[in-house]
Amino acid sequence: MLIEMGLITEDQLKESLAYQKEHGLRLGQALIEQKIISENQLIHALNVQLGIDYIDLSKTDISPEMSKFIPKNLAKKEQIVPVRVYKGNLYLAMADPLNFVALENARNISGKQIIPMIASRVAVDRSINLLYENVGAAEAMAQMREEAGIPEKAVEVPEITDSDQDSAPTIRLVNSIIERAFSEKCSDIHFEPTKTDMNIRMRIDGRLHKVMVIPQDLKDSVVSRIKVMSHMDIVERRIPQDGRIGMKLRGEELDMRVNTLPTIYGEKVCIRLLGRDAGMLNRKGIGMVFDEDNKKVDRLLANTSGVIMIVGPTGSGKSSTMFTLIHELLNEHTNLVTLEDPVEYNIDGATQVQINEKVGLTFASGLRAILRQDPDIIAVGEIRDGETAEIAMRAAITGHLVITTIHTEDAVSAVDRLKDMGVEPYLMAAGLRGVISQRLLRRVCPVCKEEYIPEPKMIEFSEIPPDPARIYYRGKGCDMCFNSGYKGRIGAFEILLMNDELRRVITHDGDKQDFTEAARRSGFGYVSMLENAHKLVDQGITTVEEICRTIAVTD
């Protein structure tokens, strides 16, 4: 059937049959793993062949009551998710509708006739996590109400099988929220008290999404549990507090930074999920995809002294880029010391120092101490004041390579920011080797990618040069991207390499325009961040709307 539909050739079929036999897969899965067909094409073929309906799980609300028909362990093992019950039939979404063992197990456990439906593997996996984690959260809230003597208002929660069954309900509720954030590849969890309840929002691919509401009478218990986990004072509610949580989830180490903030309706909590292993970072992973950008970074890393600055607003990926560069520079012959607040990634072979301002260990005092530790490379998590900036510059001109971050809009503005901090122009001119500025843009979902025509005002705002032959792409919305049209993020970079002319502009107190013009004459092929983003649009990696949303365009 696939051959008749023109999706594969006879040779590709023979190749996949051999691959199937070697790996013990179904033919469809073998074809997908070899990238001969897409999962959507397989779903369409099975739909035609078997007459089984397709279900878009991203647009389907599944009642928590469905979990009582299929236990969580069976759902995860067989990749099936119960969707609805109608006239004694249980409709079951599954990635492999030919898995007759799963169908028979589901029929025996549920006691109902099974109607299989086809869904993508990613959508089934996500729906399983959402269904059973939401049920776990609802069950935990119901038990919290019961233990506190609060009348139950919620609907009856079905009994589920869970490894945390014997844990206190508050613990299970908080753990279920963290587990969901982990599943969604979330960067931040926000617990936001309102006049009537507490909203739970998660930042996924740079955008906040509301995922849950905790009733008013339970929110204090949730906040207290988080404060206990992060070793905060649970009695103190009048001032902000900081803490950290370390836990193991699905075999992976998860490190979280926690902050509380007193508001008029109670304490707001923000949890930042941090990485553990800097060794997993690489240039492709941070989105550095253009050869000219990589060549400029290679030139920067060839320096044995000087300051390399990485700039951008909060959440633009500066730390990931910094640790990617550190990982490339680190070897057994190098003494690399980092100064961080907080320590976000564990780096094997590096000496990492955690800032503690309460005892006087600031960036400035820590940097002075590091200089007495015979360092080759120093990584300063962030330059926040003129004293730290000046020490970093002096360290650079005395033979050390310093990699650091600073909050500015673009590479050219970094020089103005250092001047505002009081750093002398001659120090900047002598110490600065280059500046990397960046933003994170959402990627177009590769599964539902389609051509479209953006609104003229969006093209105007993004400053893309007019070209009638240019083709624009966006994501239509599908199971893979959960109907958003975007999946993952990529970096837009602006890399500025210093030369003699740029140093003269700094020492003569030139303005931003002088600096930009000199950068374009530098011979290193200066490309602004906006121009870099335009190339991402040309290649169909991101959209015009993302440029307008993410990169500040000023006159």
Side-chain angles (χ1 to χ4, degrees):
M1 180 176 287
L2 292 171
I3 292 171
E4 289 175 0
M5 295 170 70
L7 296 176
I8 65 173
T9 65
E10 290 279 2
D11 290 340
Q12 287 174 326
L13 176 60
K14 291 177 182 177
E15 181 185 342
S16 290
L17 286 170
Y19 185 88
Q20 173 194 18
K21 184 177 181 180
E22 180 183 351
H23 294 86
L25 304 170
R26 292 194 180 277
L27 177 60
Q29 191 62 31
L31 288 164
I32 291 172
E33 288 193 7
Q34 291 179 292
K35 301 188 184 301
I36 295 174
I37 64 172
S38 69
E39 187 173 19
N40 283 350
Q41 289 172 323
L42 175 64
I43 286 172
H44 176 64
L46 288 173
N47 176 261
V48 173
Q49 182 186 31
L50 305 174
I52 298 176
D53 289 336
Y54 165 76
I55 181 170
D56 185 349
L57 290 174
S58 68
K59 299 178 181 177
T60 305
D61 290 326
I62 302 176
S63 168
E65 292 186 359
M66 289 299 101
S67 63
K68 69 183 179 184
F69 297 108
I70 303 293
K72 182 178 179 180
N73 57 352
L74 178 63
K76 282 186 169 290
K77 177 184 176 184
E78 303 292 358
Q79 284 291 286
I80 57 178
V81 60
V83 176
R84 64 176 179 269
V85 173
Y86 181 69
K87 293 184 177 179
N89 295 322
L90 176 61
Y91 288 78
L92 206 63
M94 51 200 310
D96 181 7
L98 296 175
N99 186 347
F100 299 114
V101 173
L103 291 171
E104 186 64 19
N105 288 337
R107 185 181 67 82
N108 291 335
I109 287 179
S110 66
K112 297 185 177 296
Q113 290 299 315
I114 304 299
I115 306 295
M117 306 179 80
I118 308 174
S120 75
R121 199 169 292 273
V122 171
V124 169
D125 188 54
R126 179 174 186 265
S127 293
I128 290 170
N129 288 331
L130 292 184
L131 171 61
Y132 293 96
E133 286 165 14
N134 285 345
V135 168
E139 184 190 47
M141 284 190 279
Q143 192 171 343
M144 287 167 66
R145 285 177 177 277
E146 183 180 344
E147 290 182 357
I150 301 170
E152 179 59 65
K153 302 175 186 176
V155 297
E156 182 182 352
V157 180
E159 185 176 346
I160 63 169
T161 302
D162 195 289
S163 60
D164 288 330
Q165 186 80 22
D166 298 328
S167 302
T170 312
I171 295 174
R172 284 188 283 120
L173 174 58
V174 173
N175 286 354
S176 71
I177 294 170
I178 293 173
E179 186 175 355
R180 177 168 179 181
F182 180 82
S183 300
E184 300 280 7
K185 295 182 171 59
C186 156
S187 62
D188 299 87
I189 314 170
H190 293 259
F191 297 76
E192 301 171 329
T194 68
K195 188 175 182 179
T196 57
D197 46 42
M198 173 180 274
N199 294 327
I200 310 297
R201 295 198 294 169
M202 296 182 183
R203 189 174 296 279
I204 303 166
D205 285 341
R207 302 296 296 271
L208 280 171
H209 301 272
K210 186 176 178 180
V211 298
M212 188 184 299
V213 177
I214 292 177
Q216 168 82 14
D217 41 40
L218 303 181
K219 64 183 185 182
D220 288 343
S221 298
V222 170
V223 172
S224 295
R225 170 59 188 164
I226 295 171
K227 291 171 79 172
V228 168
M229 293 173 72
S230 49
H231 307 288
M232 296 182 188
D233 183 351
I234 64 172
V235 177
E236 182 57 74
R237 301 180 179 182
R238 301 164 298 173
I239 60 173
Q241 295 188 64
D242 292 293
R244 297 190 75 133
I245 301 173
M247 63 188 300
K248 198 166 188 177
L249 188 59
R250 299 179 192 170
E252 292 188 33
E253 294 287 340
L254 190 60
D255 195 18
M256 290 165 279
R257 184 177 67 197
V258 186
N259 175 264
T260 65
L261 180 69
T263 74
I264 57 173
Y265 297 122
E267 289 181 284
K268 179 185 185 299
V269 179
C270 181
I271 300 178
R272 165 70 58 90
L273 281 71
L274 304 172
R276 280 281 197 173
D277 184 8
M280 298 175 65
L281 295 173
N282 54 61
R283 293 195 204 177
K284 185 178 179 181
I286 63 174
M288 197 170 285
V289 295
F290 297 120
D291 288 341
E292 54 266 37
D293 290 338
N294 282 299
K295 288 177 182 176
K296 291 176 188 174
V297 171
D298 289 340
R299 183 181 287 268
L300 280 175
L301 296 185
N303 289 289
T304 56
S305 65
V307 174
I308 300 172
M309 299 190 71
I310 304 165
V311 307
T314 300
S316 60
K318 298 187 302 297
S319 295
S320 295
T321 299
M322 182 173 77
F323 287 110
T324 298
L325 303 186
I326 288 172
H327 185 65
E328 290 188 33
L329 291 168
L330 190 62
N331 59 59
E332 62 181 10
H333 307 295
T334 301
N335 179 19
L336 193 154
V337 187
T338 74
L339 197 58
E340 306 170 63
D341 185 23
V343 174
E344 295 195 26
Y345 295 95
N346 291 340
I347 310 172
D348 290 337
T351 302
Q352 295 179 267
V353 180
Q354 168 74 55
I355 292 298
N356 188 348
E357 295 186 355
K358 292 180 181 178
V359 297
L361 181 54
T362 63
F363 277 105
S365 63
L367 192 49
R368 287 194 186 92
I370 288 173
L371 289 172
R372 295 190 288 273
Q373 290 285 322
D374 183 33
D376 298 298
I377 302 170
I378 305 169
V380 182
E382 181 184 344
I383 287 184
R384 298 177 181 173
D385 55 70
E387 184 181 13
T388 307
E390 184 169 337
I391 297 170
M393 288 296 168
R394 292 190 182 280
I397 63 178
T398 55
H400 303 91
L401 181 62
V402 180
I403 303 176
T404 187
T405 73
I406 192 170
H407 287 90
T408 64
E409 285 297 316
D410 52 37
V412 176
S413 301
V415 175
D416 290 336
R417 177 83 174 110
L418 291 173
K419 288 180 182 177
D420 291 341
M421 287 182 173
V423 181
E424 293 293 338
Y426 78 90
L427 276 178
M428 278 188 284
L432 200 57
R433 294 292 179 268
V435 184
I436 301 172
S437 179
Q438 68 181 87
R439 296 289 190 282
L440 290 176
L441 305 174
R442 290 183 295 171
R443 290 176 178 264
V444 173
C445 175
V447 176
C448 60
K449 187 176 183 178
E450 66 175 9
E451 295 182 16
Y452 83 117
I453 301 174
E455 294 181 25
K457 67 177 182 180
M458 291 289 103
I459 296 176
E460 179 186 350
F461 292 159
S462 67
E463 299 185 17
I464 292 180
D467 182 359
R470 181 179 285 111
I471 300 175
Y472 298 93
Y473 294 93
R474 69 176 176 188
K476 184 179 180 181
C478 66
D479 287 348
M480 182 68 74
C481 62
F482 314 126
N483 224 36
S484 69
Y486 297 97
K487 184 69 175 176
R489 291 192 287 178
I490 190 169
F493 294 91
E494 175 181 320
I495 304 174
L496 178 67
L497 303 182
M498 298 298 294
N499 66 358
D500 290 340
E501 184 176 1
L502 287 169
R503 292 187 181 96
R504 280 194 293 271
V505 172
I506 293 174
T507 53
H508 289 84
D509 204 23
D511 59 21
K512 186 174 180 179
Q513 183 176 351
D514 295 333
F515 206 84
T516 303
E517 291 173 356
R520 292 197 180 278
R521 295 193 300 267
S522 66
F524 293 126
Y526 171 76
V527 177
S528 72
M529 190 188 305
L530 200 55
E531 292 166 338
N532 191 277
H534 291 169
K535 291 193 287 185
L536 295 174
V537 169
D538 287 340
Q539 295 193 6
I541 297 174
T542 191
T543 63
V544 173
E545 289 77 11
E546 268 300 281
I547 293 179
C548 295
R549 183 185 71 87
T550 308
I551 301 178
V553 182
T554 57
D555 293 331

